[in-house]
PDB file of all heavy atoms in Angstrom:
ATOM      1  N   VAL A  80     -54.928 -17.290  28.193  1.00  0.00           N
ATOM      2  CA  VAL A  80     -54.406 -18.533  27.625  1.00  0.00           C
ATOM      3  C   VAL A  80     -53.157 -18.263  26.799  1.00  0.00           C
ATOM      4  O   VAL A  80     -52.145 -18.966  26.904  1.00  0.00           O
ATOM      5  CB  VAL A  80     -55.480 -19.214  26.747  1.00  0.00           C
ATOM      6  CG1 VAL A  80     -54.943 -20.503  26.158  1.00  0.00           C
ATOM      7  CG2 VAL A  80     -56.726 -19.487  27.550  1.00  0.00           C
ATOM      8  N   ALA A  84     -49.408 -19.571  27.482  1.00  0.00           N
ATOM      9  CA  ALA A  84     -48.769 -20.462  26.507  1.00  0.00           C
ATOM     10  C   ALA A  84     -47.452 -19.884  26.015  1.00  0.00           C
ATOM     11  O   ALA A  84     -46.452 -20.605  25.877  1.00  0.00           O
ATOM     12  CB  ALA A  84     -49.714 -20.704  25.334  1.00  0.00           C
ATOM     13  N   HIS A  88     -44.207 -21.955  26.684  1.00  0.00           N
ATOM     14  CA  HIS A  88     -43.772 -22.726  25.519  1.00  0.00           C
ATOM     15  C   HIS A  88     -43.184 -21.880  24.399  1.00  0.00           C
ATOM     16  O   HIS A  88     -42.787 -22.427  23.358  1.00  0.00           O
ATOM     17  CB  HIS A  88     -44.946 -23.542  24.958  1.00  0.00           C
ATOM     18  CG  HIS A  88     -45.685 -24.336  25.983  1.00  0.00           C
ATOM     19  ND1 HIS A  88     -45.136 -25.435  26.612  1.00  0.00           N
ATOM     20  CD2 HIS A  88     -46.932 -24.187  26.527  1.00  0.00           C
ATOM     21  CE1 HIS A  88     -46.004 -25.942  27.481  1.00  0.00           C
ATOM     22  NE2 HIS A  88     -47.104 -25.202  27.441  1.00  0.00           N
ATOM     23  N   GLY A  92     -44.703 -22.308  20.286  1.00  0.00           N
ATOM     24  CA  GLY A  92     -45.589 -23.263  20.943  1.00  0.00           C
ATOM     25  C   GLY A  92     -47.035 -22.840  20.857  1.00  0.00           C
ATOM     26  O   GLY A  92     -47.937 -23.667  20.670  1.00  0.00           O
ATOM     27  N   LEU A  95     -48.376 -23.644  17.368  1.00  0.00           N
ATOM     28  CA  LEU A  95     -48.700 -25.074  17.229  1.00  0.00           C
ATOM     29  C   LEU A  95     -49.963 -25.420  18.000  1.00  0.00           C
ATOM     30  O   LEU A  95     -50.816 -26.184  17.509  1.00  0.00           O
ATOM     31  CB  LEU A  95     -47.526 -25.924  17.716  1.00  0.00           C
ATOM     32  CG  LEU A  95     -47.725 -27.441  17.660  1.00  0.00           C
ATOM     33  CD1 LEU A  95     -48.091 -27.895  16.248  1.00  0.00           C
ATOM     34  CD2 LEU A  95     -46.473 -28.165  18.154  1.00  0.00           C
ATOM     35  N   ALA A  96     -50.126 -24.870  19.209  1.00  0.00           N
ATOM     36  CA  ALA A  96     -51.342 -25.130  19.990  1.00  0.00           C
ATOM     37  C   ALA A  96     -52.580 -24.609  19.264  1.00  0.00           C
ATOM     38  O   ALA A  96     -53.645 -25.242  19.286  1.00  0.00           O
ATOM     39  CB  ALA A  96     -51.229 -24.483  21.365  1.00  0.00           C
ATOM     40  N   THR A  97     -52.459 -23.466  18.601  1.00  0.00           N
ATOM     41  CA  THR A  97     -53.575 -22.910  17.838  1.00  0.00           C
ATOM     42  C   THR A  97     -53.924 -23.813  16.657  1.00  0.00           C
ATOM     43  O   THR A  97     -55.101 -24.049  16.356  1.00  0.00           O
ATOM     44  CB  THR A  97     -53.211 -21.497  17.325  1.00  0.00           C
ATOM     45  OG1 THR A  97     -52.850 -20.679  18.436  1.00  0.00           O
ATOM     46  CG2 THR A  97     -54.375 -20.862  16.586  1.00  0.00           C
ATOM     47  N   PHE A  98     -52.899 -24.327  15.974  1.00  0.00           N
ATOM     48  CA  PHE A  98     -53.116 -25.260  14.858  1.00  0.00           C
ATOM     49  C   PHE A  98     -53.837 -26.509  15.358  1.00  0.00           C
ATOM     50  O   PHE A  98     -54.801 -26.982  14.738  1.00  0.00           O
ATOM     51  CB  PHE A  98     -51.765 -25.619  14.239  1.00  0.00           C
ATOM     52  CG  PHE A  98     -51.858 -26.510  13.032  1.00  0.00           C
ATOM     53  CD1 PHE A  98     -52.056 -25.969  11.770  1.00  0.00           C
ATOM     54  CD2 PHE A  98     -51.750 -27.892  13.157  1.00  0.00           C
ATOM     55  CE1 PHE A  98     -52.142 -26.796  10.651  1.00  0.00           C
ATOM     56  CE2 PHE A  98     -51.843 -28.716  12.048  1.00  0.00           C
ATOM     57  CZ  PHE A  98     -52.034 -28.166  10.781  1.00  0.00           C
ATOM     58  N   MET A  99     -53.381 -27.063  16.481  1.00  0.00           N
ATOM     59  CA  MET A  99     -54.005 -28.252  17.058  1.00  0.00           C
ATOM     60  C   MET A  99     -55.446 -27.962  17.473  1.00  0.00           C
ATOM     61  O   MET A  99     -56.345 -28.799  17.277  1.00  0.00           O
ATOM     62  CB  MET A  99     -53.199 -28.736  18.254  1.00  0.00           C
ATOM     63  CG  MET A  99     -51.808 -29.255  17.896  1.00  0.00           C
ATOM     64  SD  MET A  99     -50.697 -29.358  19.337  1.00  0.00           S
ATOM     65  CE  MET A  99     -51.615 -30.446  20.416  1.00  0.00           C
ATOM     66  N   ALA A 100     -55.677 -26.772  18.048  1.00  0.00           N
ATOM     67  CA  ALA A 100     -57.041 -26.404  18.437  1.00  0.00           C
ATOM     68  C   ALA A 100     -57.952 -26.352  17.221  1.00  0.00           C
ATOM     69  O   ALA A 100     -59.127 -26.742  17.297  1.00  0.00           O
ATOM     70  CB  ALA A 100     -57.031 -25.058  19.155  1.00  0.00           C
ATOM     71  N   GLY A 101     -57.419 -25.873  16.102  1.00  0.00           N
ATOM     72  CA  GLY A 101     -58.211 -25.843  14.876  1.00  0.00           C
ATOM     73  C   GLY A 101     -58.628 -27.242  14.449  1.00  0.00           C
ATOM     74  O   GLY A 101     -59.780 -27.475  14.053  1.00  0.00           O
ATOM     75  N   LEU A 102     -57.702 -28.194  14.531  1.00  0.00           N
ATOM     76  CA  LEU A 102     -58.033 -29.584  14.177  1.00  0.00           C
ATOM     77  C   LEU A 102     -59.084 -30.150  15.123  1.00  0.00           C
ATOM     78  O   LEU A 102     -60.006 -30.863  14.689  1.00  0.00           O
ATOM     79  CB  LEU A 102     -56.767 -30.436  14.226  1.00  0.00           C
ATOM     80  CG  LEU A 102     -55.672 -30.105  13.204  1.00  0.00           C
ATOM     81  CD1 LEU A 102     -54.453 -30.984  13.433  1.00  0.00           C
ATOM     82  CD2 LEU A 102     -56.196 -30.287  11.773  1.00  0.00           C
ATOM     83  N   ILE A 103     -58.967 -29.834  16.413  1.00  0.00           N
ATOM     84  CA  ILE A 103     -59.948 -30.305  17.402  1.00  0.00           C
ATOM     85  C   ILE A 103     -61.331 -29.741  17.073  1.00  0.00           C
ATOM     86  O   ILE A 103     -62.347 -30.457  17.132  1.00  0.00           O
ATOM     87  CB  ILE A 103     -59.516 -29.894  18.819  1.00  0.00           C
ATOM     88  CG1 ILE A 103     -58.249 -30.638  19.220  1.00  0.00           C
ATOM     89  CG2 ILE A 103     -60.632 -30.171  19.831  1.00  0.00           C
ATOM     90  CD1 ILE A 103     -57.604 -30.129  20.495  1.00  0.00           C
ATOM     91  N   SER A 238     -43.367 -32.044  16.951  1.00  0.00           N
ATOM     92  CA  SER A 238     -42.901 -33.391  17.244  1.00  0.00           C
ATOM     93  C   SER A 238     -43.928 -34.033  18.160  1.00  0.00           C
ATOM     94  O   SER A 238     -44.809 -33.357  18.700  1.00  0.00           O
ATOM     95  CB  SER A 238     -41.525 -33.350  17.920  1.00  0.00           C
ATOM     96  OG  SER A 238     -41.619 -32.701  19.177  1.00  0.00           O
ATOM     97  N   VAL A 239     -43.817 -35.336  18.351  1.00  0.00           N
ATOM     98  CA  VAL A 239     -44.782 -36.041  19.200  1.00  0.00           C
ATOM     99  C   VAL A 239     -44.733 -35.491  20.618  1.00  0.00           C
ATOM    100  O   VAL A 239     -45.775 -35.224  21.247  1.00  0.00           O
ATOM    101  CB  VAL A 239     -44.518 -37.556  19.187  1.00  0.00           C
ATOM    102  CG1 VAL A 239     -45.429 -38.260  20.187  1.00  0.00           C
ATOM    103  CG2 VAL A 239     -44.708 -38.125  17.796  1.00  0.00           C
ATOM    104  N   ASP A 240     -43.541 -35.291  21.144  1.00  0.00           N
ATOM    105  CA  ASP A 240     -43.413 -34.771  22.508  1.00  0.00           C
ATOM    106  C   ASP A 240     -44.003 -33.370  22.617  1.00  0.00           C
ATOM    107  O   ASP A 240     -44.656 -33.036  23.619  1.00  0.00           O
ATOM    108  CB  ASP A 240     -41.943 -34.734  22.920  1.00  0.00           C
ATOM    109  CG  ASP A 240     -41.356 -36.129  23.104  1.00  0.00           C
ATOM    110  OD1 ASP A 240     -42.154 -37.071  23.280  1.00  0.00           O
ATOM    111  OD2 ASP A 240     -40.122 -36.262  23.051  1.00  0.00           O
ATOM    112  N   ARG A 241     -43.773 -32.560  21.578  1.00  0.00           N
ATOM    113  CA  ARG A 241     -44.286 -31.186  21.591  1.00  0.00           C
ATOM    114  C   ARG A 241     -45.811 -31.178  21.542  1.00  0.00           C
ATOM    115  O   ARG A 241     -46.467 -30.387  22.220  1.00  0.00           O
ATOM    116  CB  ARG A 241     -43.726 -30.436  20.387  1.00  0.00           C
ATOM    117  CG  ARG A 241     -43.936 -28.936  20.388  1.00  0.00           C
ATOM    118  CD  ARG A 241     -43.102 -28.275  21.433  1.00  0.00           C
ATOM    119  NE  ARG A 241     -42.948 -26.837  21.148  1.00  0.00           N
ATOM    120  CZ  ARG A 241     -42.647 -25.958  22.067  1.00  0.00           C
ATOM    121  NH1 ARG A 241     -42.461 -26.342  23.313  1.00  0.00           N
ATOM    122  NH2 ARG A 241     -42.504 -24.690  21.750  1.00  0.00           N
ATOM    123  N   VAL A 242     -46.392 -32.062  20.747  1.00  0.00           N
ATOM    124  CA  VAL A 242     -47.843 -32.159  20.641  1.00  0.00           C
ATOM    125  C   VAL A 242     -48.459 -32.555  21.973  1.00  0.00           C
ATOM    126  O   VAL A 242     -49.451 -31.973  22.426  1.00  0.00           O
ATOM    127  CB  VAL A 242     -48.238 -33.151  19.528  1.00  0.00           C
ATOM    128  CG1 VAL A 242     -49.725 -33.480  19.595  1.00  0.00           C
ATOM    129  CG2 VAL A 242     -47.902 -32.578  18.149  1.00  0.00           C
ATOM    130  N   VAL A 243     -47.866 -33.557  22.630  1.00  0.00           N
ATOM    131  CA  VAL A 243     -48.370 -34.006  23.929  1.00  0.00           C
ATOM    132  C   VAL A 243     -48.262 -32.884  24.952  1.00  0.00           C
ATOM    133  O   VAL A 243     -49.170 -32.655  25.758  1.00  0.00           O
ATOM    134  CB  VAL A 243     -47.598 -35.255  24.402  1.00  0.00           C
ATOM    135  CG1 VAL A 243     -47.992 -35.614  25.832  1.00  0.00           C
ATOM    136  CG2 VAL A 243     -47.867 -36.420  23.463  1.00  0.00           C
ATOM    137  N   GLU A 244     -47.166 -32.151  24.916  1.00  0.00           N
ATOM    138  CA  GLU A 244     -46.934 -31.060  25.862  1.00  0.00           C
ATOM    139  C   GLU A 244     -47.963 -29.948  25.700  1.00  0.00           C
ATOM    140  O   GLU A 244     -48.404 -29.340  26.679  1.00  0.00           O
ATOM    141  CB  GLU A 244     -45.522 -30.509  25.625  1.00  0.00           C
ATOM    142  CG  GLU A 244     -45.143 -29.325  26.494  1.00  0.00           C
ATOM    143  CD  GLU A 244     -43.802 -28.746  26.101  1.00  0.00           C
ATOM    144  OE1 GLU A 244     -43.156 -29.289  25.169  1.00  0.00           O
ATOM    145  OE2 GLU A 244     -43.392 -27.740  26.708  1.00  0.00           O
ATOM    146  N   LEU A 245     -48.370 -29.682  24.461  1.00  0.00           N
ATOM    147  CA  LEU A 245     -49.262 -28.561  24.172  1.00  0.00           C
ATOM    148  C   LEU A 245     -50.739 -28.959  24.114  1.00  0.00           C
ATOM    149  O   LEU A 245     -51.593 -28.094  23.914  1.00  0.00           O
ATOM    150  CB  LEU A 245     -48.872 -27.913  22.839  1.00  0.00           C
ATOM    151  CG  LEU A 245     -47.546 -27.160  22.840  1.00  0.00           C
ATOM    152  CD1 LEU A 245     -47.092 -26.838  21.425  1.00  0.00           C
ATOM    153  CD2 LEU A 245     -47.671 -25.876  23.656  1.00  0.00           C
ATOM    154  N   LEU A 246     -51.026 -30.249  24.292  1.00  0.00           N
ATOM    155  CA  LEU A 246     -52.412 -30.699  24.166  1.00  0.00           C
ATOM    156  C   LEU A 246     -53.366 -30.002  25.138  1.00  0.00           C
ATOM    157  O   LEU A 246     -54.468 -29.598  24.734  1.00  0.00           O
ATOM    158  CB  LEU A 246     -52.474 -32.221  24.349  1.00  0.00           C
ATOM    159  CG  LEU A 246     -53.691 -32.930  23.732  1.00  0.00           C
ATOM    160  CD1 LEU A 246     -53.805 -32.608  22.254  1.00  0.00           C
ATOM    161  CD2 LEU A 246     -53.572 -34.429  23.937  1.00  0.00           C
ATOM    162  N   PRO A 247     -53.009 -29.812  26.425  1.00  0.00           N
ATOM    163  CA  PRO A 247     -53.934 -29.091  27.326  1.00  0.00           C
ATOM    164  C   PRO A 247     -54.248 -27.681  26.841  1.00  0.00           C
ATOM    165  O   PRO A 247     -55.408 -27.254  26.875  1.00  0.00           O
ATOM    166  CB  PRO A 247     -53.178 -29.078  28.663  1.00  0.00           C
ATOM    167  CG  PRO A 247     -52.258 -30.240  28.600  1.00  0.00           C
ATOM    168  CD  PRO A 247     -51.835 -30.326  27.168  1.00  0.00           C
ATOM    169  N   SER A 248     -53.235 -26.944  26.386  1.00  0.00           N
ATOM    170  CA  SER A 248     -53.468 -25.592  25.872  1.00  0.00           C
ATOM    171  C   SER A 248     -54.361 -25.621  24.636  1.00  0.00           C
ATOM    172  O   SER A 248     -55.235 -24.773  24.461  1.00  0.00           O
ATOM    173  CB  SER A 248     -52.135 -24.913  25.535  1.00  0.00           C
ATOM    174  OG  SER A 248     -51.357 -24.715  26.679  1.00  0.00           O
ATOM    175  N   ALA A 249     -54.142 -26.617  23.775  1.00  0.00           N
ATOM    176  CA  ALA A 249     -54.946 -26.726  22.556  1.00  0.00           C
ATOM    177  C   ALA A 249     -56.415 -26.974  22.883  1.00  0.00           C
ATOM    178  O   ALA A 249     -57.308 -26.392  22.253  1.00  0.00           O
ATOM    179  CB  ALA A 249     -54.402 -27.851  21.675  1.00  0.00           C
ATOM    180  N   PHE A 250     -56.674 -27.835  23.870  1.00  0.00           N
ATOM    181  CA  PHE A 250     -58.060 -28.113  24.250  1.00  0.00           C
ATOM    182  C   PHE A 250     -58.730 -26.884  24.854  1.00  0.00           C
ATOM    183  O   PHE A 250     -59.903 -26.619  24.599  1.00  0.00           O
ATOM    184  CB  PHE A 250     -58.130 -29.296  25.216  1.00  0.00           C
ATOM    185  CG  PHE A 250     -58.229 -30.628  24.536  1.00  0.00           C
ATOM    186  CD1 PHE A 250     -57.158 -31.510  24.521  1.00  0.00           C
ATOM    187  CD2 PHE A 250     -59.392 -31.003  23.890  1.00  0.00           C
ATOM    188  CE1 PHE A 250     -57.243 -32.734  23.880  1.00  0.00           C
ATOM    189  CE2 PHE A 250     -59.502 -32.230  23.249  1.00  0.00           C
ATOM    190  CZ  PHE A 250     -58.422 -33.101  23.238  1.00  0.00           C
ATOM    191  N   VAL A 251     -57.987 -26.124  25.665  1.00  0.00           N
ATOM    192  CA  VAL A 251     -58.558 -24.903  26.245  1.00  0.00           C
ATOM    193  C   VAL A 251     -58.866 -23.886  25.143  1.00  0.00           C
ATOM    194  O   VAL A 251     -59.930 -23.256  25.143  1.00  0.00           O
ATOM    195  CB  VAL A 251     -57.600 -24.301  27.289  1.00  0.00           C
ATOM    196  CG1 VAL A 251     -58.107 -22.939  27.745  1.00  0.00           C
ATOM    197  CG2 VAL A 251     -57.482 -25.224  28.487  1.00  0.00           C
ATOM    198  N   ILE A 252     -57.948 -23.717  24.192  1.00  0.00           N
ATOM    199  CA  ILE A 252     -58.190 -22.796  23.075  1.00  0.00           C
ATOM    200  C   ILE A 252     -59.421 -23.232  22.281  1.00  0.00           C
ATOM    201  O   ILE A 252     -60.278 -22.414  21.932  1.00  0.00           O
ATOM    202  CB  ILE A 252     -56.951 -22.727  22.164  1.00  0.00           C
ATOM    203  CG1 ILE A 252     -55.796 -22.032  22.890  1.00  0.00           C
ATOM    204  CG2 ILE A 252     -57.273 -21.989  20.862  1.00  0.00           C
ATOM    205  CD1 ILE A 252     -54.471 -22.113  22.156  1.00  0.00           C
ATOM    206  N   ALA A 253     -59.514 -24.534  22.005  1.00  0.00           N
ATOM    207  CA  ALA A 253     -60.655 -25.041  21.248  1.00  0.00           C
ATOM    208  C   ALA A 253     -61.965 -24.829  22.016  1.00  0.00           C
ATOM    209  O   ALA A 253     -62.982 -24.424  21.435  1.00  0.00           O
ATOM    210  CB  ALA A 253     -60.460 -26.525  20.940  1.00  0.00           C
ATOM    211  N   PHE A 254     -61.929 -25.094  23.319  1.00  0.00           N
ATOM    212  CA  PHE A 254     -63.139 -24.917  24.137  1.00  0.00           C
ATOM    213  C   PHE A 254     -63.581 -23.455  24.123  1.00  0.00           C
ATOM    214  O   PHE A 254     -64.749 -23.148  23.886  1.00  0.00           O
ATOM    215  CB  PHE A 254     -62.870 -25.379  25.570  1.00  0.00           C
ATOM    216  CG  PHE A 254     -64.021 -25.172  26.504  1.00  0.00           C
ATOM    217  CD1 PHE A 254     -65.040 -26.107  26.592  1.00  0.00           C
ATOM    218  CD2 PHE A 254     -64.105 -24.035  27.293  1.00  0.00           C
ATOM    219  CE1 PHE A 254     -66.118 -25.922  27.444  1.00  0.00           C
ATOM    220  CE2 PHE A 254     -65.168 -23.832  28.157  1.00  0.00           C
ATOM    221  CZ  PHE A 254     -66.181 -24.777  28.231  1.00  0.00           C
ATOM    222  N   THR A 390     -57.304 -23.539  32.636  1.00  0.00           N
ATOM    223  CA  THR A 390     -57.570 -24.955  32.350  1.00  0.00           C
ATOM    224  C   THR A 390     -58.234 -25.626  33.546  1.00  0.00           C
ATOM    225  O   THR A 390     -59.225 -26.351  33.402  1.00  0.00           O
ATOM    226  CB  THR A 390     -56.259 -25.679  32.017  1.00  0.00           C
ATOM    227  OG1 THR A 390     -55.571 -24.964  30.989  1.00  0.00           O
ATOM    228  CG2 THR A 390     -56.533 -27.101  31.561  1.00  0.00           C
TER     229      THR A 390
END
Side-chain angles (χ1 to χ4, degrees):
V80 180
H88 310 291
L95 179 56
T97 304
F98 183 86
M99 294 163 58
L102 295 177
I103 293 170
S238 64
V239 174
D240 291 340
R241 191 70 161 158
V242 168
V243 173
E244 178 186 358
L245 291 167
L246 203 55
S248 295
F250 272 108
V251 172
I252 291 171
F254 177 85
T390 308

